[in-house]
């Protein structure tokens, strides 16, 4: 018979990107005496990897625990972007309630809808935390009402819709029940968590059962499985059975068990039902595994995540500059790294192809795959990737169906016409349009996912950098028809060499340059964007014939336009169907699949004929 464990709360913090949830966790940690008085603490302490700090977003779900009075509060910080929904779907299996953080000005934003939908579907209760109430443009009544409307839209029960509201300034570590009466600490938030969110229901006398929701690695103790113990107790040295998601059993022994407290794993003699804990000693442990008693090997329901919608080909780098920068360059190393990523990235898929040096990698969106590429690049891997493409499915009627995005766009009213035309070219369908008091146009569209690939750059140009766009996966719909290409071609380097300013002065009249003087390029590399919808081979290494009256390094470069130096995200958006992106720890180069100019011409003639 399940009983309530009153000394424990397991909660997730969910919010849109940049609404302050990781900052709020910082305040909660500081006020529960996690840090020494003289300890220097970084901001957003749970955003522990460099990519998270640089982009200002949470990518990986992380958990910690604090002690408030006699109650242990296990906190799970979740990503706010739908591309990392695999992380959100996993952690919702571990918790009993959520803190929904919303900005006091912006209110609930489309990405909030995704994470809240996952929580409500699990039956979790929520506390709404209105953050940044000190902002001059705060709209507190609007934000609370809009949040209530969102709960209703998502089918919340009456119990879920009666949520308590707490007002905070996370940066200052202050909270209160009214926006004009904030306490100088987060006590009201902690009190509401203990009072309003349910304690876990556990079966302490039943055999142990634990669902693994994430995996970590330690150089000393090996693989670590993290999850929630649903029943019974686990201790170091205990014999268990590991049941894989496909039902395959494997006997093993737990070496050590840990709980999370104050940003650390703390070893325990044993852990009890309800605890979010970690264990080691099972070398083959993976996400979705059930750890159970050998005498009662009953698996828990497996973790289900949405299927990938976008895929790219990862291949060994075969350019003339291959091996210059990378530490890991072989197909064996690339395959091993992708397989290792699968252990913790449940929304990712990796498939072999008919070529031993190419792998098909599928994910939840461009950003999901871009983060993987950037992570591997920083680890010293060198490889090439293809243009992202959507994954089609076959419907019950035998016809092709494609993934569709629910797109939310916010622009100044003057730019709505340009945005509407841009979305229309990508087979978008307008769902709703309204204007705010300040003339801002808020529109919603259904757009095929392939129409959203490469959308961000022309959208930012069309709105002069002022537009805001959010996307959520909507579902699979009948194929919407062909889309037009990108409308521009590429300037392709004729030969291998060093770029000269003299050559670029002449080439820049044909398009936008991607290279600068003194860059090294090779034949077949894309060095710019051609203004026409075709490719043009250009010589960017041409040097001026000099006399003995002028030194070669005194070459005139006056009048050169600035080159466009693309980030990884921009380069992934830009590459065409017949192009690849060469990724190395030090460089990003766009190149043609076929570097030889004559072979490219022959392939184009065959395709046309």
């Amino acid at each position: 018979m399940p009983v309530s464990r009153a000394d424990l709360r397991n909660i997730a913090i969910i919010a849109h990107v940049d609404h302050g949830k990781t900052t709020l966790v910082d305040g909660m940690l500081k006020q529960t005496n996690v840090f020494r008085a003289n300890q220097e603490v970084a901001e957003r302490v749970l955003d522990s990897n460099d990519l998270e700090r640089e982009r200002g977003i949470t990518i990986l779900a992380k958990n910690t625990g604090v002690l408030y009075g006699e109650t242990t509060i296990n906190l799970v910080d979740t990503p706010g972007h739908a591309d990392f929904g695999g992380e959100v779907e996993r952690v919702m299996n571990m918790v009993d309630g959520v803190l929904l953080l919303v900005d006091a000005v912006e209110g609930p934003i489309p990405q909030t809808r995704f994470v809240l939908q996952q929580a409500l579907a699990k039956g979790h209760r929520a506390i709404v935390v209105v953050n940044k109430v000190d902002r001059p443009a705060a709209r507190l009544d609007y934000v609370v009402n809009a949040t209530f409307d969102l709960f209703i839209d998502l089918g919340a029960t009456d119990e879920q819709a009666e949520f308590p509201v707490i007002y905070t300034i996370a940066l200052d570590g202050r909270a209160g029940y009214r926006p004009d009466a904030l306490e100088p600490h987060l006590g009201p938030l902690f009190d509401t968590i203990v009072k309003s969110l349910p304690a876990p229901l556990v079966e302490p006398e039943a055999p142990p059962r634990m669902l693994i929701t994430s995996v970590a690695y330690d150089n000393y103790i090996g693989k670590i499985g993290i999850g929630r113990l649903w029943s019974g107790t686990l201790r170091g040295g205990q014999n268990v059975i590991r049941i894989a998601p496909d039902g395959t059993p494997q006997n093993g022994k737990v070496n050590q068990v840990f709980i999370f407290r104050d940003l650390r794993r703390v070893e325990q003699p044993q852990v009890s039902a309800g605890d979010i804990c970690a264990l080691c000693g099972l070398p083959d442990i993976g996400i979705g595994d059930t750890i159970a008693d050998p005498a009662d090997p009953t698996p828990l329901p497996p973790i289900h995540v949405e299927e990938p919608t976008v895929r790219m080909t990862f291949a060994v780098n075969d350019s003339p500059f291959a091996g210059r920068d990378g530490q890991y360059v072989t197909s064996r190393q690339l395959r091993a790294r992708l397989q290792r990523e699968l252990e913790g990235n449940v929304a990712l898929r990796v498939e072999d192809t008919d070529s031993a040096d190419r792998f098909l990698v599928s994910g939840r969106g461009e950003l999901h795959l871009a983060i993987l590429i950037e992570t591997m690049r920083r680890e010293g891997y060198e490889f090439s990737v293809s243009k992202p493409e959507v994954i089609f499915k076959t419907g019950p009627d035998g016809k092709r169906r494609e993934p569709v995005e629910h797109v939310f766009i916010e622009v100044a009213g003057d730019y709505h016409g340009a945005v509407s035309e841009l979305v229309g070219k990508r087979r978008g369908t307008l769902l709703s349009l309204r204007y705010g008091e300040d003339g801002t146009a808020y529109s919603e569209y259904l757009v095929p996912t392939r129409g959203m690939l490469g959308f961000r750059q022309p959208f930012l140009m069309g709105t002069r950098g002022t537009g805001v766009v959010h996307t959520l996966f909507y579902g699979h719909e009948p194929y919407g028809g062909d889309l037009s290409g990108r409308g521009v071609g590429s300037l392709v380097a004729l030969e291998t060499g060093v770029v000269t300013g003299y050559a670029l002065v002449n080439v820049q009249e044909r398009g936008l340059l991607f290279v600068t003087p003194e860059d090294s390029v090779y034949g077949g590399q894309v060095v710019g964007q051609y203004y026409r919808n075709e490719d043009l081979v250009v010589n960017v290494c041409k040097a001026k014939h000099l006399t003995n009256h002028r030194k070669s390094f005194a070459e005139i470069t006056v009048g050169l336009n600035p080159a466009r130096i693309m980030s990884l995200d921009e380069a992934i958006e830009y590459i065409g169907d017949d192009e690849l992106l060469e990724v190395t720890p030090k460089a990003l180069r766009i190149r043609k699949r076929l570097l030889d100019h004559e072979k490219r011409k022959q392939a184009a003639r065959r395709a046309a004929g």
Side-chain angles (χ1 to χ4, degrees):
M1 185 72 181
V3 296
S4 177
R5 188 172 163 188
D7 66 332
L8 186 62
R9 298 293 185 276
N10 296 324
I11 62 172
I13 301 185
I14 59 177
H16 176 70
V17 175
D18 200 33
H19 275 197
K21 60 184 179 301
T22 307
T23 306
L24 182 65
V25 174
D26 283 359
M28 297 173 79
L29 292 171
K30 289 171 184 174
Q31 293 187 24
T32 49
N33 301 316
V34 170
F35 308 111
R36 300 188 311 273
N38 64 340
Q39 185 173 346
E40 191 173 312
V41 182
E43 288 186 7
R44 305 196 314 276
V45 68
L46 279 192
D47 282 349
S48 51
N49 70 44
D50 291 339
L51 270 179
E52 291 181 315
R53 292 189 177 280
E54 288 172 21
R55 293 176 179 249
I57 62 174
T58 300
I59 296 169
L60 302 172
K62 305 170 200 67
N63 48 288
T64 185
V66 297
L67 190 63
Y68 180 69
E70 300 297 321
T71 305
T72 297
I73 300 175
N74 286 317
L75 300 166
V76 184
D77 187 16
T78 62
H81 198 289
D83 275 20
F84 307 110
E87 297 285 320
V88 177
E89 290 162 354
R90 283 194 289 132
V91 300
M92 288 305 161
N93 286 289
M94 290 198 293
V95 300
D96 304 291
V98 296
L99 296 185
L100 174 64
L101 202 70
V102 293
D103 188 285
V105 176
E106 297 176 350
I109 285 185
Q111 301 284 6
T112 316
R113 173 183 291 266
F114 171 78
V115 287
L116 180 60
Q117 191 171 25
Q118 300 297 324
L120 295 179
K122 292 286 183 184
H124 297 329
R125 297 284 303 276
I127 296 172
V128 173
V129 180
V130 181
N131 191 30
K132 306 182 185 179
V133 297
D134 56 333
R135 292 180 66 180
R139 305 178 293 171
L140 303 178
D141 290 341
Y142 161 78
V143 167
V144 174
N145 291 333
T147 305
F148 178 78
D149 292 341
L150 178 60
F151 272 72
I152 300 305
D153 288 346
L154 295 177
T157 64
D158 292 344
E159 188 180 38
Q160 288 173 324
E162 291 179 3
F163 49 79
V165 180
I166 298 293
Y167 300 90
T168 64
I169 305 174
L171 206 56
D172 297 341
R174 302 178 62 197
Y177 301 105
R178 300 203 321 270
D180 55 352
L182 297 186
E183 301 288 344
H185 50 76
L186 294 173
L189 176 60
F190 284 119
D191 291 336
T192 307
I193 290 172
V194 174
K195 178 183 174 184
S196 301
L197 295 183
L201 290 174
V202 299
E203 299 181 62
E205 304 303 324
R209 285 197 302 166
M210 176 179 174
L211 182 66
I212 302 300
T213 53
S214 61
V215 173
Y217 187 82
D218 186 283
N219 289 331
Y220 295 101
I221 60 177
K223 238 178 177 181
I224 300 169
I226 301 168
R228 173 173 169 172
L229 184 61
W230 287 92
S231 61
T233 58
L234 274 177
R235 63 186 183 278
Q238 182 171 342
N239 291 320
V240 295
I241 188 167
R242 181 184 69 85
I243 307 170
D246 61 2
T248 306
Q250 183 185 39
N251 290 312
K253 179 188 283 189
V254 175
N255 287 345
Q256 297 166 283
V257 292
F258 308 86
I259 62 168
F260 294 91
R261 182 64 55 81
D262 304 347
L263 299 176
R264 292 177 295 117
R265 289 193 306 269
V266 181
E267 187 178 354
Q268 301 289 305
Q270 72 174 33
V271 290
S272 304
D275 282 330
I276 292 178
C277 53
L279 55 84
C280 65
L282 304 173
D284 299 325
I285 198 167
I287 290 173
D289 290 353
T290 297
I291 307 302
D293 190 322
D296 184 15
T298 307
L300 288 162
I303 297 172
H304 292 288
V305 296
E306 291 181 7
E307 292 295 311
T309 58
V310 176
R311 64 187 177 194
M312 300 170 74
T313 300
F314 284 49
V316 170
N317 183 21
D318 61 355
S319 83
F321 293 170
R324 286 190 177 186
D325 302 336
Q327 181 180 355
Y328 308 107
V329 298
T330 67
S331 60
R332 180 181 58 81
Q333 291 167 330
L334 182 61
R335 178 191 172 87
R337 175 63 181 84
L338 292 173
Q339 292 297 326
R340 194 163 72 247
E341 184 70 20
L342 289 177
E343 294 178 358
N345 198 337
V346 291
L348 199 74
R349 303 285 186 274
V350 177
E351 303 169 47
D352 292 327
T353 66
D354 53 3
S355 173
D357 58 2
R358 286 205 311 270
F359 308 95
L360 205 56
V361 182
S362 308
R364 291 282 284 267
E366 275 182 293
L367 182 60
H368 187 199
L369 295 175
I371 293 293
L372 171 61
I373 293 168
E374 182 64 30
T375 302
M376 292 175 60
R377 177 191 182 195
R378 295 185 183 201
E379 292 172 356
Y381 286 84
E382 183 176 313
F383 53 98
S384 66
V385 297
S386 68
K387 176 184 175 65
E389 59 180 21
V390 301
I391 301 172
F392 294 101
K393 288 188 172 183
T394 303
D397 54 0
K399 294 183 178 179
R400 184 161 57 160
R401 300 174 75 86
E402 64 176 335
V404 172
E405 305 287 329
H406 192 176
V407 182
F408 302 80
I409 293 178
E410 178 183 332
V411 293
D414 296 344
Y415 298 128
H416 175 66
V419 170
S420 181
E421 181 181 356
L422 183 64
V423 176
K425 288 179 179 177
R426 293 162 182 264
R427 301 279 179 177
T429 304
L430 180 66
L431 296 180
S432 68
L433 171 64
R434 65 179 178 85
Y435 286 88
E437 295 176 0
D438 58 353
T440 302
Y442 300 89
S443 52
E444 296 182 30
Y445 296 88
L446 288 183
V447 187
T449 300
R450 59 198 167 94
M452 295 304 296
L453 300 178
F455 175 80
R456 194 168 297 273
Q457 193 62 34
F459 172 76
L460 290 175
M461 291 177 64
T463 61
R464 304 295 188 270
T466 62
V468 179
V469 59
H470 302 291
T471 62
L472 290 176
F473 177 64
Y474 178 77
H476 285 82
E477 299 290 323
Y479 182 71
D482 295 336
L483 300 177
S484 58
R486 67 185 179 188
V488 293
S490 296
L491 298 173
V492 184
L494 172 68
E495 60 187 10
T496 301
V498 177
V499 177
T500 67
Y502 173 74
L504 292 185
V505 169
N506 298 318
V507 172
Q508 70 180 2
E509 298 174 2
R510 306 298 182 93
L512 180 66
L513 297 173
F514 298 159
V515 293
T516 59
E518 305 303 321
D519 285 349
S520 295
V521 298
Y522 51 82
Q525 181 179 333
V526 175
V527 295
Q529 175 182 299
Y530 190 25
Y531 290 142
R532 297 182 181 178
N533 191 14
E534 58 187 44
D535 293 340
L536 179 68
V537 178
V538 294
N539 186 359
V540 291
C541 303
K542 184 178 180 181
K544 186 173 183 180
H545 294 293
L546 305 174
T547 69
N548 60 351
H549 296 292
R550 173 182 276 168
K551 295 179 181 178
S552 61
F553 59 77
E555 184 184 337
I556 296 174
T557 59
V558 176
L560 266 184
N561 296 331
R564 179 185 173 189
I565 308 301
M566 286 192 273
S567 66
L568 174 64
D569 301 59
E570 291 171 336
I572 290 173
E573 284 191 355
Y574 179 83
I575 54 178
D577 294 329
D578 65 336
E579 294 169 351
L580 298 173
L581 176 62
E582 178 185 348
V583 180
T584 79
K586 296 181 180 178
L588 297 170
R589 302 183 187 94
I590 299 173
R591 49 160 285 192
K592 291 295 181 180
R593 285 180 186 267
L594 295 173
L595 297 178
D596 186 275
H597 306 306
E598 289 303 319
K599 289 182 179 178
R600 269 204 318 278
K601 288 180 183 177
Q602 293 170 6
R605 283 196 292 267
R606 284 197 300 269

